[in-house]
Amino acid sequence: MKTKLRLLLLLPLILLTVQKAAGQTFHFIYFSDTNDSRIGKNSEEANRYFLNNFIPQLKKSTGLEVKQMIYTGNSFSRHNLENATNSLDTGYGDVIFFYYSGHGYNDGSSVFPTMTLGLQGDELDSRTKHILDVYNQLRRKPHKLLVVIAEACNAVYSTRGVKGSAVVSYDAYEGNNDNYYSLFRNSSGDYLMSSCKQGQKSWSPMGGLSYFATAFRDVLDERRTSVTWREFLDGVSSKTLDYVDRYAGETQQPQWISGEYTGTALSTGSLTATTTAKPEAEITSVTQEHNVTVNGKKGLNIHVKFD
């Protein structure tokens, strides 16, 4: 009788331990350059969407516990990014969602961009971080699903493009509950996406949500009973290509990979592979110009010099 009683007392503890191990937490790591004179307004619109729309809808649709790490304004720095990724404590049932909205460029080492964090005037060497490094580091953390997104230019020399008008307005708490549940509760895997292919700019309308973030929002809001991450990322890529062509008259094709980076990425409806650039010369220096005026707007220019 005593043995039976002990088993009955232990059973709730065992069930509680199993339930805790199987639970899911959504780790939201978000970096947005709201200080920049050229893209600050666009980044503020991204904040409004992700913090006031996306996160509340995700909580409502999935029941996931959400832990937020938000870095905007003066906290938008490489130091804080490295602290956030190094200190991240996750479980094997968790979701890690990393989103970067800011300047970037391609250093020739892969088809994915290098992010430029920090404040104007700081040394560039202290500001840069390759998105692929973040992705690979987070892949080593315990998780069920990892999504890393870089909304940034991906050319050797460019600034974030601002052209055209906002696509549509939006209200809080839009979204398809089934899509949120399918993607963030029922899915697993590792995914890395950049808002444009190597050699391209990432475009935004004047003062509005970027064309890429708008495509992300609109595909997430499409009415369907279920969606896979491959279908979702391909849809975001296709809609971005359409929006940028229609409203800005430019070309921007997001690209993505699943699992380990092997030198290629997928983009748009046909899922065509793009290969890693192999520059014929060595990169000897990377410099920055502050408060450069382009089309009446001041911003940051990045120059990459080859030997």
Side-chain angles (χ1 to χ4, degrees), residues 7 160-161 191 250 264:
L7 288 174
R160 278 274 292 273
Y191 299 94
E250 302 288 347
T264 62

Side-chain angles (χ1 to χ4, degrees), residues 164-183:
S165 57
V167 180
V168 288
S169 61
Y170 56 92
D171 299 319
Y173 307 112
E174 287 183 353
N176 182 345
N177 291 349
D178 292 332
N179 288 346
Y180 280 88
Y181 201 91
S182 294
L183 292 171

Side-chain angles (χ1 to χ4, degrees), residues 201-252:
K201 283 186 177 184
S202 192
W203 292 91
S204 298
M206 295 292 294
L209 190 66
S210 72
Y211 299 116
F212 173 80
T214 300
F216 179 97
R217 179 201 67 195
D218 289 352
V219 176
L220 194 55
D221 194 37
E222 289 178 355
R223 301 302 166 188
R224 58 180 112 189
T225 55
S226 65
V227 61
T228 66
W229 270 103
R230 288 177 177 270
E231 292 168 341
F232 176 76
L233 296 176
D234 188 33
V236 173
S237 181
S238 296
K239 273 196 182 298
T240 302
L241 183 65
D242 174 53
Y243 288 163
V244 174
D245 176 63
R246 192 191 316 175
Y247 295 101
E250 302 288 347
T251 299
Q252 178 185 336

